[in-house]
Amino acid sequence: MGSLSLPVLIGLIVVSVDSVRNIPSLAIFGSQLPIFFVLAILLFLLPITFVSAELSASFAGDKDNGVYHWVKAAFGNDMGMFAIWNQWINSLIWFPANLLFISSTFFSIFFPSMSTHKPLIVGTMITIFWLITFLNLKGVKESARVAFVCMFLGVILPIATLLISSLLWLYQGLPSHFSFDVSFNVGSASHSLSALTVIITSFLGVEISSVHINKVINPKRTFTIAILIASLLIVAIMFIGSIAMAMMIPASQLNLYDGLAQTFHVIFNRFDIGYFSPILLGMVVFGSLGALISWTISPAIGMAQAARNGYMPEALARNNKNGAPKNILFIQASIITILCLSMSLFEDLNNFYWYLISLSTAIYLLMYIVMFLAGIKLRRQRISTGALIKNHLTFYIISGSGLIGVIATFIVGFLPSKQVLSGTNIYQYIMQFGGGIVVISMCFFLFICFKKQRQYKRQEKIML
C-alpha cells in the first residue's frame, strides 16, 4: 500500500544530499565554478540519478529494493552485503560529523558563550540522534513528512534568500565578485582536482531513498519522476547558491567552516536587517536535521534486508508494526553514542570533523563503484531491460562515466586538504586514511563468516 506522496518523496531525496551546508566549499572556486559543475554533473550526478532510477524501476515489483537488492541480483549475496555495509558504515562515520555541525552551529547562533563547551556539545549530539531514532521508529511515512518540512525550511528558504539577496545586490549597483569564465584554466592540478572532488561529493546520497519505493503508489513511474525532479532541484540549489555567494563575497575571503554565516552576515548588514542572520542559520540547521532523518532510516532498511538473508542474527531482520527495523536502529544509535563520547579524546574537533568526512566519503565511493558495475552486469544479462533508459549503449556510456567519476574522486581522496593535514604529515595521513578504508570495508567478511557458521550449524542439526 502506497504511503509516500510524490512531493514528500522528492523532499526526502533532496534533503538527503544536505546540499546547503556544502555551498561555501563550492563558492571558493569563483569563476571556474561553472566548468567544474558541468563536469561533476556529467561524471557523477547524472550517472547516479539515471542508473539508480533505472535499477529502481527494474525491480519495482519486488518486495525489496535499493543498493543491496541490486548488487545481490548482479553479483550474489556476499557482494550485496559488501555494498550495503559500505553504505551503512559510511552513514555511521558521517553521523558524528553532521551532529557536530548541527550542535556547534546551534550554540554559536543562540548561545555563543557555550559554543566551545565540549561536554555540552557532545551531550546535545547524542540527544539529537536518539530523538531522530525514535522518530524513525514511527515509520518511513512520519519521518519523511518531518524531513520534507526540514527541506522547505532548511534548504528552499535559505537558497531563495541567497537568490533574492543577490538580485537586490545587483539592483543596487553593488560590486559583484563573480564573473562567468567558460574557459578551462586548469591552474594548479591540486586546485582543479579539489574543485571537482568537492562538487562531486556534494551530490552523495541521491539514491538512498530507493529502499522506500515499495511505499509509493505506482512505484516505477513515481520514483523515476521523483529522483529526476530531485536531481534538478539539487543542481539548481547548489549552483544558484554558490554563484550568489561567490558574487557577494570574494572567493579569497570565503571561510569553509562558516561561509554561510559569513554571507548572511554581510547580506543582512548591508540591508540593515542583521537580526535575520541567526534565523536563516537556524533554518540551515533544520536542513541538516532532515538529512540525518533520511540517512538514519534508509541504510538501516538495507541492513535489515541483509539480515533476512542470514548475514546477521534474525532479531536484526525484524521490523516493528510501523515497518521500521527497530533493532538495527537501536544498535545504530548506541554506536553513535559511543562515537560521540569518543570525541572527548580529540583536542581539535576540526581535525576530527574533516577526517570523518574524508573517510566516510571514500567508503561510500566504494559502494558506488560496485553499484555501477552491478548496473552494467544486470543490463548485459538483460535483468535490467530498459525500464527508463531504452538504448543499451546509452546505459553503458552513462554507467562508464559514473565509474570514471567515482574512481577519480576516490583516488583524489588521498590528497587531503590543509584542514585534514593540520598536525600531521602527508605520509601519516595516507597510512591512517588508507588503513581506515581497508579495515572498515573488509569488516563485511565478519558477516560472511557469521552466515557460513550458521549454515554449518544447520547442516549439523540436519545430519543429526
Side-chain angles (χ1 to χ4, degrees), residues 13-19 22 44-45 48 90 94 197 199-208 234 238 295 357 360-362 364-365 367-368 406 409:
I13 296 171
V14 171
V15 81
S16 297
V17 178
D18 193 19
S19 51
N22 296 317
F44 195 78
L45 183 61
I48 288 176
N90 151 80
W94 172 80
T197 303
I199 297 172
I200 284 177
T201 54
S202 297
F203 292 140
L204 294 174
V206 173
E207 82 300 328
I208 68 166
I234 291 166
M238 294 177 64
W295 278 93
I357 290 292
S360 67
T361 298
Y364 201 27
L365 291 172
M367 184 278 295
Y368 276 131
V406 170
T409 307

PDB file of all heavy atoms in Angstrom, residues 13-19 22 44-45 48 90 94 197 199-208 234 238 295 357 360-362 364-365 367-368 406 409:
ATOM      1  N   ILE A  13      14.508  12.901  -0.973  1.00  0.00           N
ATOM      2  CA  ILE A  13      15.729  12.751  -1.774  1.00  0.00           C
ATOM      3  C   ILE A  13      16.573  14.017  -1.696  1.00  0.00           C
ATOM      4  O   ILE A  13      17.797  13.956  -1.497  1.00  0.00           O
ATOM      5  CB  ILE A  13      15.378  12.439  -3.238  1.00  0.00           C
ATOM      6  CG1 ILE A  13      14.651  11.095  -3.345  1.00  0.00           C
ATOM      7  CG2 ILE A  13      16.645  12.405  -4.100  1.00  0.00           C
ATOM      8  CD1 ILE A  13      14.078  10.796  -4.712  1.00  0.00           C
ATOM      9  N   VAL A  14      15.931  15.184  -1.836  1.00  0.00           N
ATOM     10  CA  VAL A  14      16.664  16.455  -1.817  1.00  0.00           C
ATOM     11  C   VAL A  14      17.367  16.664  -0.481  1.00  0.00           C
ATOM     12  O   VAL A  14      18.553  17.013  -0.421  1.00  0.00           O
ATOM     13  CB  VAL A  14      15.716  17.636  -2.112  1.00  0.00           C
ATOM     14  CG1 VAL A  14      16.434  18.970  -1.865  1.00  0.00           C
ATOM     15  CG2 VAL A  14      15.223  17.570  -3.549  1.00  0.00           C
ATOM     16  N   VAL A  15      16.634  16.429   0.615  1.00  0.00           N
ATOM     17  CA  VAL A  15      17.212  16.700   1.931  1.00  0.00           C
ATOM     18  C   VAL A  15      18.309  15.689   2.276  1.00  0.00           C
ATOM     19  O   VAL A  15      19.195  15.971   3.096  1.00  0.00           O
ATOM     20  CB  VAL A  15      16.106  16.702   3.007  1.00  0.00           C
ATOM     21  CG1 VAL A  15      15.744  15.295   3.448  1.00  0.00           C
ATOM     22  CG2 VAL A  15      16.503  17.557   4.205  1.00  0.00           C
ATOM     23  N   SER A  16      18.282  14.504   1.629  1.00  0.00           N
ATOM     24  CA  SER A  16      19.318  13.501   1.879  1.00  0.00           C
ATOM     25  C   SER A  16      20.699  14.007   1.475  1.00  0.00           C
ATOM     26  O   SER A  16      21.714  13.618   2.056  1.00  0.00           O
ATOM     27  CB  SER A  16      19.006  12.211   1.106  1.00  0.00           C
ATOM     28  OG  SER A  16      17.800  11.641   1.536  1.00  0.00           O
ATOM     29  N   VAL A  17      20.739  14.854   0.455  1.00  0.00           N
ATOM     30  CA  VAL A  17      22.020  15.353  -0.048  1.00  0.00           C
ATOM     31  C   VAL A  17      22.587  16.441   0.852  1.00  0.00           C
ATOM     32  O   VAL A  17      23.800  16.665   0.894  1.00  0.00           O
ATOM     33  CB  VAL A  17      21.848  15.857  -1.500  1.00  0.00           C
ATOM     34  CG1 VAL A  17      23.139  16.432  -2.049  1.00  0.00           C
ATOM     35  CG2 VAL A  17      21.370  14.722  -2.389  1.00  0.00           C
ATOM     36  N   ASP A  18      21.708  17.123   1.605  1.00  0.00           N
ATOM     37  CA  ASP A  18      22.182  18.146   2.555  1.00  0.00           C
ATOM     38  C   ASP A  18      23.065  19.167   1.849  1.00  0.00           C
ATOM     39  O   ASP A  18      24.176  19.481   2.290  1.00  0.00           O
ATOM     40  CB  ASP A  18      22.939  17.482   3.704  1.00  0.00           C
ATOM     41  CG  ASP A  18      23.182  18.439   4.870  1.00  0.00           C
ATOM     42  OD1 ASP A  18      22.476  19.457   4.958  1.00  0.00           O
ATOM     43  OD2 ASP A  18      24.084  18.180   5.672  1.00  0.00           O
ATOM     44  N   SER A  19      22.557  19.713   0.741  1.00  0.00           N
ATOM     45  CA  SER A  19      23.397  20.492  -0.169  1.00  0.00           C
ATOM     46  C   SER A  19      23.768  21.883   0.335  1.00  0.00           C
ATOM     47  O   SER A  19      24.830  22.401  -0.006  1.00  0.00           O
ATOM     48  CB  SER A  19      22.689  20.629  -1.523  1.00  0.00           C
ATOM     49  OG  SER A  19      21.370  21.098  -1.355  1.00  0.00           O
ATOM     50  N   ASN A  22      27.135  22.585   1.918  1.00  0.00           N
ATOM     51  CA  ASN A  22      28.316  22.450   1.069  1.00  0.00           C
ATOM     52  C   ASN A  22      28.565  23.664   0.177  1.00  0.00           C
ATOM     53  O   ASN A  22      29.584  23.722  -0.512  1.00  0.00           O
ATOM     54  CB  ASN A  22      28.164  21.212   0.167  1.00  0.00           C
ATOM     55  CG  ASN A  22      28.101  19.924   0.965  1.00  0.00           C
ATOM     56  OD1 ASN A  22      28.867  19.741   1.903  1.00  0.00           O
ATOM     57  ND2 ASN A  22      27.192  19.044   0.605  1.00  0.00           N
ATOM     58  N   PHE A  44      29.112  12.343 -12.443  1.00  0.00           N
ATOM     59  CA  PHE A  44      28.652  11.816 -11.158  1.00  0.00           C
ATOM     60  C   PHE A  44      27.134  11.880 -10.991  1.00  0.00           C
ATOM     61  O   PHE A  44      26.471  10.841 -10.922  1.00  0.00           O
ATOM     62  CB  PHE A  44      29.337  12.571 -10.021  1.00  0.00           C
ATOM     63  CG  PHE A  44      29.213  11.893  -8.686  1.00  0.00           C
ATOM     64  CD1 PHE A  44      30.016  10.810  -8.365  1.00  0.00           C
ATOM     65  CD2 PHE A  44      28.290  12.319  -7.754  1.00  0.00           C
ATOM     66  CE1 PHE A  44      29.905  10.167  -7.138  1.00  0.00           C
ATOM     67  CE2 PHE A  44      28.160  11.688  -6.523  1.00  0.00           C
ATOM     68  CZ  PHE A  44      28.975  10.614  -6.216  1.00  0.00           C
ATOM     69  N   LEU A  45      26.569  13.089 -10.959  1.00  0.00           N
ATOM     70  CA  LEU A  45      25.151  13.205 -10.620  1.00  0.00           C
ATOM     71  C   LEU A  45      24.251  12.536 -11.654  1.00  0.00           C
ATOM     72  O   LEU A  45      23.351  11.764 -11.296  1.00  0.00           O
ATOM     73  CB  LEU A  45      24.759  14.671 -10.451  1.00  0.00           C
ATOM     74  CG  LEU A  45      23.302  14.894 -10.025  1.00  0.00           C
ATOM     75  CD1 LEU A  45      23.031  14.248  -8.684  1.00  0.00           C
ATOM     76  CD2 LEU A  45      22.968  16.381  -9.969  1.00  0.00           C
ATOM     77  N   ILE A  48      24.547   8.630 -11.490  1.00  0.00           N
ATOM     78  CA  ILE A  48      23.900   8.080 -10.296  1.00  0.00           C
ATOM     79  C   ILE A  48      22.385   8.192 -10.407  1.00  0.00           C
ATOM     80  O   ILE A  48      21.643   7.252 -10.095  1.00  0.00           O
ATOM     81  CB  ILE A  48      24.402   8.797  -9.029  1.00  0.00           C
ATOM     82  CG1 ILE A  48      25.831   8.374  -8.719  1.00  0.00           C
ATOM     83  CG2 ILE A  48      23.510   8.479  -7.837  1.00  0.00           C
ATOM     84  CD1 ILE A  48      26.436   9.084  -7.548  1.00  0.00           C
ATOM     85  N   ASN A  90      29.344   3.995   6.234  1.00  0.00           N
ATOM     86  CA  ASN A  90      29.599   5.383   5.853  1.00  0.00           C
ATOM     87  C   ASN A  90      28.697   6.325   6.632  1.00  0.00           C
ATOM     88  O   ASN A  90      29.131   7.371   7.126  1.00  0.00           O
ATOM     89  CB  ASN A  90      29.359   5.556   4.350  1.00  0.00           C
ATOM     90  CG  ASN A  90      28.914   6.966   4.000  1.00  0.00           C
ATOM     91  OD1 ASN A  90      29.707   7.881   3.910  1.00  0.00           O
ATOM     92  ND2 ASN A  90      27.610   7.142   3.806  1.00  0.00           N
ATOM     93  N   TRP A  94      29.666   9.273   9.206  1.00  0.00           N
ATOM     94  CA  TRP A  94      29.251  10.633   8.855  1.00  0.00           C
ATOM     95  C   TRP A  94      28.366  11.268   9.918  1.00  0.00           C
ATOM     96  O   TRP A  94      28.384  12.492  10.103  1.00  0.00           O
ATOM     97  CB  TRP A  94      28.517  10.581   7.514  1.00  0.00           C
ATOM     98  CG  TRP A  94      27.862  11.849   7.082  1.00  0.00           C
ATOM     99  CD1 TRP A  94      28.461  12.931   6.496  1.00  0.00           C
ATOM    100  CD2 TRP A  94      26.467  12.179   7.172  1.00  0.00           C
ATOM    101  NE1 TRP A  94      27.530  13.905   6.214  1.00  0.00           N
ATOM    102  CE2 TRP A  94      26.305  13.468   6.628  1.00  0.00           C
ATOM    103  CE3 TRP A  94      25.350  11.505   7.659  1.00  0.00           C
ATOM    104  CZ2 TRP A  94      25.054  14.098   6.550  1.00  0.00           C
ATOM    105  CZ3 TRP A  94      24.112  12.132   7.591  1.00  0.00           C
ATOM    106  CH2 TRP A  94      23.975  13.402   7.050  1.00  0.00           C
ATOM    107  N   THR A 197      36.317  17.406  -6.994  1.00  0.00           N
ATOM    108  CA  THR A 197      36.007  16.464  -5.921  1.00  0.00           C
ATOM    109  C   THR A 197      34.978  17.030  -4.956  1.00  0.00           C
ATOM    110  O   THR A 197      34.037  16.332  -4.553  1.00  0.00           O
ATOM    111  CB  THR A 197      37.288  16.098  -5.144  1.00  0.00           C
ATOM    112  OG1 THR A 197      38.242  15.566  -6.052  1.00  0.00           O
ATOM    113  CG2 THR A 197      36.984  15.073  -4.067  1.00  0.00           C
ATOM    114  N   ILE A 199      32.671  19.252  -5.492  1.00  0.00           N
ATOM    115  CA  ILE A 199      31.348  19.303  -6.117  1.00  0.00           C
ATOM    116  C   ILE A 199      30.760  17.899  -6.224  1.00  0.00           C
ATOM    117  O   ILE A 199      29.583  17.678  -5.924  1.00  0.00           O
ATOM    118  CB  ILE A 199      31.424  19.964  -7.505  1.00  0.00           C
ATOM    119  CG1 ILE A 199      31.895  21.413  -7.362  1.00  0.00           C
ATOM    120  CG2 ILE A 199      30.061  19.940  -8.188  1.00  0.00           C
ATOM    121  CD1 ILE A 199      32.184  22.099  -8.683  1.00  0.00           C
ATOM    122  N   ILE A 200      31.572  16.938  -6.643  1.00  0.00           N
ATOM    123  CA  ILE A 200      31.091  15.562  -6.780  1.00  0.00           C
ATOM    124  C   ILE A 200      30.603  15.015  -5.442  1.00  0.00           C
ATOM    125  O   ILE A 200      29.515  14.425  -5.346  1.00  0.00           O
ATOM    126  CB  ILE A 200      32.194  14.660  -7.369  1.00  0.00           C
ATOM    127  CG1 ILE A 200      32.319  14.910  -8.882  1.00  0.00           C
ATOM    128  CG2 ILE A 200      31.911  13.185  -7.104  1.00  0.00           C
ATOM    129  CD1 ILE A 200      33.427  14.130  -9.553  1.00  0.00           C
ATOM    130  N   THR A 201      31.388  15.195  -4.397  1.00  0.00           N
ATOM    131  CA  THR A 201      30.999  14.658  -3.092  1.00  0.00           C
ATOM    132  C   THR A 201      29.794  15.393  -2.505  1.00  0.00           C
ATOM    133  O   THR A 201      29.149  14.875  -1.593  1.00  0.00           O
ATOM    134  CB  THR A 201      32.176  14.721  -2.102  1.00  0.00           C
ATOM    135  OG1 THR A 201      32.690  16.059  -2.045  1.00  0.00           O
ATOM    136  CG2 THR A 201      33.282  13.787  -2.521  1.00  0.00           C
ATOM    137  N   SER A 202      29.486  16.561  -3.045  1.00  0.00           N
ATOM    138  CA  SER A 202      28.294  17.281  -2.593  1.00  0.00           C
ATOM    139  C   SER A 202      27.013  16.648  -3.111  1.00  0.00           C
ATOM    140  O   SER A 202      25.922  17.000  -2.662  1.00  0.00           O
ATOM    141  CB  SER A 202      28.361  18.743  -3.049  1.00  0.00           C
ATOM    142  OG  SER A 202      29.458  19.413  -2.476  1.00  0.00           O
ATOM    143  N   PHE A 203      27.131  15.723  -4.061  1.00  0.00           N
ATOM    144  CA  PHE A 203      25.961  15.049  -4.631  1.00  0.00           C
ATOM    145  C   PHE A 203      25.712  13.677  -4.007  1.00  0.00           C
ATOM    146  O   PHE A 203      24.818  12.949  -4.445  1.00  0.00           O
ATOM    147  CB  PHE A 203      26.133  14.864  -6.143  1.00  0.00           C
ATOM    148  CG  PHE A 203      26.117  16.153  -6.931  1.00  0.00           C
ATOM    149  CD1 PHE A 203      26.987  16.328  -7.994  1.00  0.00           C
ATOM    150  CD2 PHE A 203      25.249  17.169  -6.608  1.00  0.00           C
ATOM    151  CE1 PHE A 203      26.980  17.503  -8.739  1.00  0.00           C
ATOM    152  CE2 PHE A 203      25.224  18.348  -7.333  1.00  0.00           C
ATOM    153  CZ  PHE A 203      26.086  18.523  -8.407  1.00  0.00           C
ATOM    154  N   LEU A 204      26.503  13.274  -3.019  1.00  0.00           N
ATOM    155  CA  LEU A 204      26.355  11.948  -2.427  1.00  0.00           C
ATOM    156  C   LEU A 204      24.971  11.762  -1.808  1.00  0.00           C
ATOM    157  O   LEU A 204      24.462  12.659  -1.130  1.00  0.00           O
ATOM    158  CB  LEU A 204      27.413  11.736  -1.338  1.00  0.00           C
ATOM    159  CG  LEU A 204      28.879  11.671  -1.771  1.00  0.00           C
ATOM    160  CD1 LEU A 204      29.781  11.616  -0.550  1.00  0.00           C
ATOM    161  CD2 LEU A 204      29.130  10.483  -2.672  1.00  0.00           C
ATOM    162  N   GLY A 205      24.377  10.598  -2.022  1.00  0.00           N
ATOM    163  CA  GLY A 205      23.150  10.243  -1.319  1.00  0.00           C
ATOM    164  C   GLY A 205      21.873  10.328  -2.120  1.00  0.00           C
ATOM    165  O   GLY A 205      20.793  10.101  -1.577  1.00  0.00           O
ATOM    166  N   VAL A 206      21.976  10.631  -3.425  1.00  0.00           N
ATOM    167  CA  VAL A 206      20.771  10.778  -4.237  1.00  0.00           C
ATOM    168  C   VAL A 206      19.954   9.488  -4.263  1.00  0.00           C
ATOM    169  O   VAL A 206      18.721   9.517  -4.320  1.00  0.00           O
ATOM    170  CB  VAL A 206      21.146  11.203  -5.676  1.00  0.00           C
ATOM    171  CG1 VAL A 206      19.932  11.190  -6.583  1.00  0.00           C
ATOM    172  CG2 VAL A 206      21.775  12.585  -5.669  1.00  0.00           C
ATOM    173  N   GLU A 207      20.638   8.350  -4.200  1.00  0.00           N
ATOM    174  CA  GLU A 207      19.967   7.062  -4.420  1.00  0.00           C
ATOM    175  C   GLU A 207      19.431   6.391  -3.162  1.00  0.00           C
ATOM    176  O   GLU A 207      18.731   5.377  -3.250  1.00  0.00           O
ATOM    177  CB  GLU A 207      20.939   6.095  -5.115  1.00  0.00           C
ATOM    178  CG  GLU A 207      21.930   5.387  -4.210  1.00  0.00           C
ATOM    179  CD  GLU A 207      22.862   6.306  -3.443  1.00  0.00           C
ATOM    180  OE1 GLU A 207      23.205   7.390  -3.964  1.00  0.00           O
ATOM    181  OE2 GLU A 207      23.261   5.958  -2.323  1.00  0.00           O
ATOM    182  N   ILE A 208      19.710   6.922  -1.968  1.00  0.00           N
ATOM    183  CA  ILE A 208      19.414   6.148  -0.755  1.00  0.00           C
ATOM    184  C   ILE A 208      17.918   5.947  -0.511  1.00  0.00           C
ATOM    185  O   ILE A 208      17.517   4.980   0.128  1.00  0.00           O
ATOM    186  CB  ILE A 208      20.068   6.759   0.503  1.00  0.00           C
ATOM    187  CG1 ILE A 208      19.435   8.098   0.861  1.00  0.00           C
ATOM    188  CG2 ILE A 208      21.551   6.857   0.370  1.00  0.00           C
ATOM    189  CD1 ILE A 208      19.800   8.555   2.254  1.00  0.00           C
ATOM    190  N   ILE A 234      18.420  19.740  -6.804  1.00  0.00           N
ATOM    191  CA  ILE A 234      19.728  19.752  -6.141  1.00  0.00           C
ATOM    192  C   ILE A 234      20.730  20.570  -6.939  1.00  0.00           C
ATOM    193  O   ILE A 234      21.476  21.398  -6.390  1.00  0.00           O
ATOM    194  CB  ILE A 234      20.235  18.315  -5.941  1.00  0.00           C
ATOM    195  CG1 ILE A 234      19.365  17.597  -4.894  1.00  0.00           C
ATOM    196  CG2 ILE A 234      21.699  18.296  -5.513  1.00  0.00           C
ATOM    197  CD1 ILE A 234      19.546  16.095  -4.866  1.00  0.00           C
ATOM    198  N   MET A 238      22.338  24.106  -5.529  1.00  0.00           N
ATOM    199  CA  MET A 238      23.778  24.257  -5.315  1.00  0.00           C
ATOM    200  C   MET A 238      24.387  25.286  -6.251  1.00  0.00           C
ATOM    201  O   MET A 238      25.255  26.068  -5.851  1.00  0.00           O
ATOM    202  CB  MET A 238      24.462  22.900  -5.470  1.00  0.00           C
ATOM    203  CG  MET A 238      24.059  21.907  -4.396  1.00  0.00           C
ATOM    204  SD  MET A 238      24.805  20.290  -4.628  1.00  0.00           S
ATOM    205  CE  MET A 238      26.518  20.684  -4.420  1.00  0.00           C
ATOM    206  N   TRP A 295      19.049   9.633   6.402  1.00  0.00           N
ATOM    207  CA  TRP A 295      20.205   8.732   6.442  1.00  0.00           C
ATOM    208  C   TRP A 295      20.115   7.750   7.606  1.00  0.00           C
ATOM    209  O   TRP A 295      20.735   6.682   7.568  1.00  0.00           O
ATOM    210  CB  TRP A 295      21.490   9.536   6.553  1.00  0.00           C
ATOM    211  CG  TRP A 295      21.968  10.051   5.238  1.00  0.00           C
ATOM    212  CD1 TRP A 295      21.688  11.264   4.679  1.00  0.00           C
ATOM    213  CD2 TRP A 295      22.805   9.371   4.296  1.00  0.00           C
ATOM    214  NE1 TRP A 295      22.294  11.380   3.458  1.00  0.00           N
ATOM    215  CE2 TRP A 295      22.987  10.230   3.198  1.00  0.00           C
ATOM    216  CE3 TRP A 295      23.400   8.120   4.283  1.00  0.00           C
ATOM    217  CZ2 TRP A 295      23.751   9.878   2.094  1.00  0.00           C
ATOM    218  CZ3 TRP A 295      24.164   7.758   3.184  1.00  0.00           C
ATOM    219  CH2 TRP A 295      24.334   8.645   2.109  1.00  0.00           C
ATOM    220  N   ILE A 357      34.694  13.179   7.601  1.00  0.00           N
ATOM    221  CA  ILE A 357      34.097  13.479   6.306  1.00  0.00           C
ATOM    222  C   ILE A 357      34.880  12.788   5.187  1.00  0.00           C
ATOM    223  O   ILE A 357      34.303  12.163   4.285  1.00  0.00           O
ATOM    224  CB  ILE A 357      34.059  15.002   6.064  1.00  0.00           C
ATOM    225  CG1 ILE A 357      33.043  15.666   7.001  1.00  0.00           C
ATOM    226  CG2 ILE A 357      33.721  15.305   4.610  1.00  0.00           C
ATOM    227  CD1 ILE A 357      31.605  15.313   6.720  1.00  0.00           C
ATOM    228  N   SER A 360      34.455   8.789   5.467  1.00  0.00           N
ATOM    229  CA  SER A 360      33.113   8.324   5.117  1.00  0.00           C
ATOM    230  C   SER A 360      32.860   8.459   3.625  1.00  0.00           C
ATOM    231  O   SER A 360      32.219   7.594   3.011  1.00  0.00           O
ATOM    232  CB  SER A 360      32.050   9.103   5.904  1.00  0.00           C
ATOM    233  OG  SER A 360      32.011  10.466   5.521  1.00  0.00           O
ATOM    234  N   THR A 361      33.370   9.528   3.013  1.00  0.00           N
ATOM    235  CA  THR A 361      33.190   9.727   1.576  1.00  0.00           C
ATOM    236  C   THR A 361      33.880   8.624   0.783  1.00  0.00           C
ATOM    237  O   THR A 361      33.307   8.054  -0.158  1.00  0.00           O
ATOM    238  CB  THR A 361      33.739  11.096   1.140  1.00  0.00           C
ATOM    239  OG1 THR A 361      33.009  12.135   1.812  1.00  0.00           O
ATOM    240  CG2 THR A 361      33.603  11.293  -0.361  1.00  0.00           C
ATOM    241  N   ALA A 362      35.117   8.295   1.148  1.00  0.00           N
ATOM    242  CA  ALA A 362      35.865   7.261   0.431  1.00  0.00           C
ATOM    243  C   ALA A 362      35.167   5.907   0.521  1.00  0.00           C
ATOM    244  O   ALA A 362      35.073   5.168  -0.474  1.00  0.00           O
ATOM    245  CB  ALA A 362      37.279   7.159   0.994  1.00  0.00           C
ATOM    246  N   TYR A 364      31.985   5.382   0.986  1.00  0.00           N
ATOM    247  CA  TYR A 364      30.751   5.446   0.208  1.00  0.00           C
ATOM    248  C   TYR A 364      31.036   5.298  -1.288  1.00  0.00           C
ATOM    249  O   TYR A 364      30.254   4.679  -2.022  1.00  0.00           O
ATOM    250  CB  TYR A 364      30.049   6.777   0.491  1.00  0.00           C
ATOM    251  CG  TYR A 364      28.580   6.782   0.164  1.00  0.00           C
ATOM    252  CD1 TYR A 364      27.820   5.616   0.179  1.00  0.00           C
ATOM    253  CD2 TYR A 364      27.925   7.967  -0.136  1.00  0.00           C
ATOM    254  CE1 TYR A 364      26.476   5.627  -0.102  1.00  0.00           C
ATOM    255  CE2 TYR A 364      26.566   7.993  -0.420  1.00  0.00           C
ATOM    256  CZ  TYR A 364      25.843   6.815  -0.392  1.00  0.00           C
ATOM    257  OH  TYR A 364      24.511   6.828  -0.676  1.00  0.00           O
ATOM    258  N   LEU A 365      32.150   5.847  -1.736  1.00  0.00           N
ATOM    259  CA  LEU A 365      32.508   5.742  -3.149  1.00  0.00           C
ATOM    260  C   LEU A 365      32.754   4.285  -3.554  1.00  0.00           C
ATOM    261  O   LEU A 365      32.490   3.902  -4.700  1.00  0.00           O
ATOM    262  CB  LEU A 365      33.743   6.596  -3.445  1.00  0.00           C
ATOM    263  CG  LEU A 365      33.513   8.113  -3.370  1.00  0.00           C
ATOM    264  CD1 LEU A 365      34.847   8.856  -3.495  1.00  0.00           C
ATOM    265  CD2 LEU A 365      32.545   8.593  -4.434  1.00  0.00           C
ATOM    266  N   MET A 367      31.041   1.807  -2.510  1.00  0.00           N
ATOM    267  CA  MET A 367      29.701   1.297  -2.775  1.00  0.00           C
ATOM    268  C   MET A 367      29.230   1.711  -4.164  1.00  0.00           C
ATOM    269  O   MET A 367      28.634   0.909  -4.898  1.00  0.00           O
ATOM    270  CB  MET A 367      28.730   1.822  -1.707  1.00  0.00           C
ATOM    271  CG  MET A 367      27.309   1.276  -1.828  1.00  0.00           C
ATOM    272  SD  MET A 367      26.280   2.134  -3.053  1.00  0.00           S
ATOM    273  CE  MET A 367      26.158   3.757  -2.333  1.00  0.00           C
ATOM    274  N   TYR A 368      29.525   2.952  -4.566  1.00  0.00           N
ATOM    275  CA  TYR A 368      29.110   3.422  -5.890  1.00  0.00           C
ATOM    276  C   TYR A 368      29.804   2.636  -7.004  1.00  0.00           C
ATOM    277  O   TYR A 368      29.199   2.343  -8.035  1.00  0.00           O
ATOM    278  CB  TYR A 368      29.420   4.912  -6.047  1.00  0.00           C
ATOM    279  CG  TYR A 368      28.363   5.827  -5.476  1.00  0.00           C
ATOM    280  CD1 TYR A 368      28.714   6.878  -4.632  1.00  0.00           C
ATOM    281  CD2 TYR A 368      27.015   5.664  -5.781  1.00  0.00           C
ATOM    282  CE1 TYR A 368      27.758   7.732  -4.116  1.00  0.00           C
ATOM    283  CE2 TYR A 368      26.060   6.508  -5.262  1.00  0.00           C
ATOM    284  CZ  TYR A 368      26.431   7.549  -4.421  1.00  0.00           C
ATOM    285  OH  TYR A 368      25.485   8.376  -3.909  1.00  0.00           O
ATOM    286  N   VAL A 406      33.647   8.345 -10.116  1.00  0.00           N
ATOM    287  CA  VAL A 406      33.766   7.800  -8.766  1.00  0.00           C
ATOM    288  C   VAL A 406      35.193   7.360  -8.463  1.00  0.00           C
ATOM    289  O   VAL A 406      35.743   7.665  -7.394  1.00  0.00           O
ATOM    290  CB  VAL A 406      32.788   6.619  -8.584  1.00  0.00           C
ATOM    291  CG1 VAL A 406      33.072   5.880  -7.289  1.00  0.00           C
ATOM    292  CG2 VAL A 406      31.355   7.111  -8.589  1.00  0.00           C
ATOM    293  N   THR A 409      37.444  10.383  -8.029  1.00  0.00           N
ATOM    294  CA  THR A 409      37.183  11.040  -6.746  1.00  0.00           C
ATOM    295  C   THR A 409      37.768  10.245  -5.593  1.00  0.00           C
ATOM    296  O   THR A 409      38.310  10.813  -4.638  1.00  0.00           O
ATOM    297  CB  THR A 409      35.666  11.221  -6.537  1.00  0.00           C
ATOM    298  OG1 THR A 409      35.108  11.890  -7.664  1.00  0.00           O
ATOM    299  CG2 THR A 409      35.382  12.037  -5.289  1.00  0.00           C
TER     300      THR A 409
END
